[in-house]
Amino acid sequence: MSEPTWGRNRRFCSTLSGSDVGVAVDLAGWVQVRRDLGGLVFVELRDSSGRVQLVADPNKNKDVFEVFTSLKSEYVIAVRGEVSERPANTVNPNSPTGAIEIYPDTVSLLNTAAPLPFQLDSGQQVDESLRLKYRYLDLRRSEMHDHFVLRHKIAQAIRNYLNENSFLEIETPILTKATPEGARDFLVPSRLNPGSWYALPQSPQLFKQTLMISGFDRYYQIARCFRDEDLRADRQPEFTQVDLEMSFVDEEQIMQVTEGWLTAAFACAGIDVPRPFPRYTYKHIFERYGTDKPDMRFGMEIKDLTSVASVCQFKMFRSVADAGGKLKAICVKDGAQGISRKQTDSWQEAVKSWGGKGMAWVAFAQGGVRSSGIDKHLSEEEMSSVKDLSTAKEGDLVLLVADKDPLVTVLLGRLRLKIGEELDLIDTSKHSLLWVSEFPLFEFDPEEERLVAVHHPFTAPHSQDLGLLKSKPEQVRARAYDVVYNGVELGSGSIRIHDQNLQSEVFSIIGIDKETAKQKFGFLLDALASGAPPHGGIALGLDRIVMLLAGCKSIREVIAFPKTQSGACLMTEAPSAASPQQLSELKIKPGSEAKAAVPLQ
Ligand code: ASP
């Protein structure tokens, strides 16, 4: 058997078609499946591009047939042979190469494969920890390949857009100093400076601002960020952001650039989104949807009915209004008939489990009004105000919550989403991209008992609210903006403070005294005093964007080597214990570190 020159003239399986019939080709890849049928051996050959059918016939080529009979799943082979048309009755219309097949003249077995821990075709049903342990096998599945092809295309489209718009890609350090994005830092001990630690960047925030001060004007980076948080389903300790910063700009310019590259990214998944995305203020959005990341693919906006509560004799409502709370409602269109008592009971329970007092309901059914009991306590006039203010029509169901403000709005926002999902009200064919801006600059953190920055402390206050900084800081609006897709926050950014004095003032409002500010951010304060241009930027989570565009439920599906919920890499078994020698070099006393005797699951 002669050695095929498979490496040099190799064709990819998916490039073969009917027009290659009669052409001799070299192919190399993995045995997806082998089937012995009617004296012939069929092998589905898979490479990075796709699959093609190989056939061995003992009457045509005994050597090839013999090798084929020994092949098992995931063996690695190279073949050379002529492309032929399949007999009409064996054409597979579901496969892109389903009209052709190859009877190889030669075959080389390049490697064998141990029995698989799971079948590659059934990857999704396989336990995820098994998939992560054998990630190299999991990633062989064509579905996973597709995710990374899409991820690559998206990253390229973003780079192309930003390159064409005069952005420079600049790398910032991984071994750095803590940046306050509100999460815990990962620390790395410094061998050369015993007792000192680097922090892994939670974001390139301070470096990108510094680059603006250095006059680069437009920076971007597809940047790895590290945050030591308790992991939720859509979080990873290290993740990737599309991070950018621009000088001499306002909010609108950053939004326009972001819309530009984001629509280019969506186009990679065949999704065409119109620009500009609608823009809303936080106040507007929160009042209507009870969240700062509304899913606008369905209606059911929250309505304020406090005017009814504050005059009615119904104690449950009146007492809340008298205490400064609010009565709010959402209206389920055509819900008066089809919705069972069991369902409204479950919504009432949900509201309670989220910390609310409860939920009342009124069904404006054709045959007459039914309710959870409130119609007995409200006058006819008040009931008709409930109907009007909640924009209910005959046949609709109104759900009411009376509670403290803003809790009442948050509760109804959550209820709205729950009902939207339960009743299938979300139009999944829609792509709803929007901007939310003018968030509050500060919020009170009850745990720390102080004001904290809602975005981060480098965000500029709204110029109209500067006068409130000292007297009513909680009322100051931030020049910050979030971009939201189908109810998911893709990322956020802001116009930054470029004035040293203002930056120092903001630090002091959030309880960072002069000494600490100097120690932590001295370089930034000095840089701001050295002729800092007005600047602003944004960062969007790339993993999340790819996940949504690939139609996946978890970002682990679009990260090649993700970590588990407990931050472990099951394939490499990181994190792992350090050797006594490593620790002594780092001047860390053995035993003072937490030992992971058993690999973390
Ligand atoms: N650094 C911010 C973040 O990571 C984004 C920004 O303000 O540009 O969320």
Side-chain angles (χ1 to χ4, degrees):
M1 196 179 0
S2 66
E3 199 69 42
T5 55
W6 47 267
R8 291 188 216 135
N9 302 314
R10 183 158 73 99
R11 292 272 305 266
F12 286 107
C13 294
S14 72
T15 65
L16 300 177
S17 67
S19 62
D20 292 302
V21 170
V23 178
V25 293
D26 290 349
L27 302 169
W30 288 262
V31 173
Q32 177 74 25
V33 275
R34 191 195 89 199
R35 260 170 273 138
D36 298 0
L37 232 111
L40 304 176
V41 179
F42 294 86
V43 161
E44 209 176 316
L45 181 73
R46 184 192 73 238
D47 65 15
S48 67
S49 73
R51 300 173 189 187
V52 77
Q53 176 161 290
L54 310 176
V55 197
D57 180 344
N59 301 322
K60 286 192 179 161
N61 191 322
K62 246 203 157 64
D63 293 340
V64 169
F65 180 79
E66 243 158 56
V67 178
F68 265 47
T69 50
S70 72
L71 295 178
K72 298 205 170 95
S73 281
E74 298 309 304
Y75 275 27
V76 188
I77 59 169
V79 294
R80 168 177 286 179
E82 220 173 74
V83 178
S84 53
E85 227 166 330
R86 284 198 206 180
N89 59 343
T90 65
V91 167
N92 178 0
N94 299 322
S95 158
T97 57
I100 53 166
E101 59 193 4
I102 291 148
Y103 285 79
D105 299 324
T106 62
V107 56
S108 302
L109 178 59
L110 304 178
N111 212 344
T112 58
L116 300 176
F118 55 85
Q119 285 313 308
L120 301 193
D121 264 345
S122 59
Q124 282 309 4
Q125 289 104 53
V126 176
D127 181 43
E128 201 190 1
S129 52
L130 204 59
R131 290 178 54 203
L132 291 176
K133 183 168 163 55
Y134 300 99
R135 191 61 160 177
Y136 42 89
L137 292 177
D138 188 41
L139 290 175
R140 274 190 200 164
R141 298 188 298 116
S142 55
E143 189 189 353
M144 292 304 270
H145 265 241
D146 291 348
H147 295 169
F148 291 95
V149 170
L150 179 66
R151 188 176 176 123
H152 168 80
K153 283 188 184 153
I154 290 172
Q156 279 317 103
I158 295 170
R159 281 206 166 89
N160 288 344
Y161 185 90
L162 292 171
N163 295 345
E164 278 160 21
N165 282 277
S166 308
F167 281 80
L168 287 183
E169 186 171 10
I170 303 178
E171 287 160 282
T172 53
I174 294 293
L175 293 177
T176 180
K177 209 171 152 143
T179 34
E181 295 284 357
R184 223 173 270 121
D185 287 312
F186 280 103
L187 294 177
V188 179
S190 162
R191 182 181 58 83
L192 297 176
N193 304 278
S196 293
W197 304 75
Y198 299 101
L200 302 184
Q202 293 191 29
S203 84
Q205 184 62 34
L206 296 181
F207 288 106
K208 65 175 173 173
Q209 288 193 236
T210 310
L211 287 170
M212 295 304 104
I213 297 169
S214 305
F216 281 104
D217 217 279
R218 290 180 168 210
Y219 139 96
Y220 83 94
Q221 187 179 189
I222 299 198
R224 197 65 69 83
C225 302
F226 304 85
R227 296 183 191 176
D228 190 4
E229 290 174 298
D230 295 328
L231 303 187
R232 283 184 259 135
D234 61 344
R235 294 281 165 103
Q236 282 282 306
E238 54 179 309
F239 59 96
T240 306
Q241 282 191 344
V242 180
D243 190 52
L244 63 89
E245 197 77 6
M246 302 165 80
S247 289
F248 305 106
V249 287
D250 60 13
E251 290 87 332
E252 186 55 35
Q253 284 156 289
I254 293 169
M255 288 180 188
Q256 280 175 17
V257 160
T258 308
E259 289 178 0
W261 66 255
L262 205 47
T263 45
F266 272 63
C268 296
I271 301 168
D272 187 23
V273 268
R275 284 188 275 169
F277 307 164
R279 286 138 166 74
Y280 302 96
T281 64
Y282 168 74
K283 191 167 180 302
H284 175 103
I285 285 296
F286 182 76
E287 291 302 324
R288 284 161 184 76
Y289 300 98
T291 171
D292 55 4
K293 36 180 183 294
D295 190 338
M296 295 236 225
R297 291 173 298 170
F298 69 110
M300 224 158 67
E301 287 181 19
I302 300 168
K303 303 288 176 192
D304 194 337
L305 277 62
T306 313
S307 57
V308 178
S310 52
V311 295
C312 72
Q313 293 309 313
F314 182 34
K315 245 181 90 194
M316 293 271 272
F317 288 174
R318 181 69 182 263
S319 60
V320 170
D322 286 349
K326 290 198 163 151
L327 172 65
K328 294 196 171 189
I330 51 177
C331 171
V332 185
K333 286 267 154 262
D334 304 320
Q337 286 316 339
I339 290 168
S340 67
R341 187 62 188 256
K342 207 169 134 209
Q343 203 145 18
T344 48
D345 285 353
S346 79
W347 296 339
Q348 277 169 333
E349 284 314 308
V351 169
K352 283 188 197 150
S353 73
W354 300 327
K357 291 201 221 325
M359 182 202 89
W361 57 266
V362 190
F364 292 100
Q366 257 128 28
V369 173
R370 286 179 291 113
S371 82
S372 52
I374 58 168
D375 58 324
K376 288 193 216 79
H377 302 280
L378 297 179
S379 68
E380 218 167 276
E381 207 181 309
E382 285 159 354
M383 282 299 283
S384 95
S385 295
V386 166
K387 192 172 174 190
D388 291 346
L389 290 172
S390 60
T391 66
K393 303 264 171 314
E394 205 73 2
D396 293 347
L397 174 71
V398 174
L399 309 176
L400 304 105
V401 174
D403 223 310
K404 288 192 283 282
D405 190 32
L407 175 66
V408 56
T409 318
V410 173
L411 294 171
L412 279 164
R414 288 184 74 167
L415 190 60
R416 171 183 175 270
L417 265 188
K418 183 177 164 64
I419 294 174
E421 274 162 24
E422 275 176 24
L423 302 186
D424 229 354
L425 303 177
I426 303 170
D427 180 350
T428 49
S429 69
K430 275 194 184 156
H431 299 279
S432 156
L433 277 150
L434 57 102
W435 290 100
V436 184
S437 64
E438 296 187 18
F439 291 90
L441 188 60
F442 306 110
E443 67 189 344
F444 187 73
D445 183 332
E447 260 172 46
E448 301 218 4
E449 292 187 345
R450 64 175 177 93
L451 288 178
V452 292
V454 170
H455 186 41
H456 52 53
F458 317 108
T459 299
H462 209 287
S463 56
Q464 284 163 7
D465 298 346
L466 282 174
L468 299 171
L469 259 185
K470 280 202 176 63
S471 54
K472 294 180 185 138
E474 273 168 283
Q475 288 181 21
V476 175
R477 287 166 298 164
R479 295 186 69 185
Y481 31 80
D482 280 5
V483 59
V484 177
Y485 172 57
N486 290 351
V488 178
E489 184 206 307
L490 294 183
S492 52
S494 60
I495 299 298
R496 324 297 183 188
I497 297 169
H498 68 279
D499 174 274
Q500 190 209 35
N501 294 327
L502 184 56
Q503 185 64 76
S504 299
E505 192 176 342
V506 166
F507 282 152
S508 95
I509 292 172
I510 58 173
I512 301 180
D513 61 46
K514 274 212 164 79
E515 203 37 52
T516 318
K518 202 164 164 227
Q519 186 204 333
K520 282 190 164 167
F521 310 115
F523 74 96
L524 176 75
L525 292 170
D526 289 346
L528 289 176
S530 69
H535 61 285
I538 194 164
L540 273 68
L542 181 66
D543 310 300
R544 199 173 293 179
I545 293 171
V546 179
M547 172 190 89
L548 293 167
L549 294 182
C552 298
K553 291 244 156 17
S554 155
I555 55 171
R556 295 189 295 277
E557 297 297 320
V558 298
I559 295 175
F561 302 102
K563 310 259 187 311
T564 61
Q565 298 284 310
S566 59
C569 170
L570 297 183
M571 187 179 81
T572 61
E573 299 189 343
S576 52
S579 73
Q581 192 196 338
Q582 283 172 315
L583 291 177
S584 98
E585 278 172 0
L586 293 166
K587 307 269 186 303
I588 295 175
K589 243 186 28 229
S592 61
E593 84 289 5
K595 267 195 207 133
V598 188
L600 301 170
Q601 287 293 310

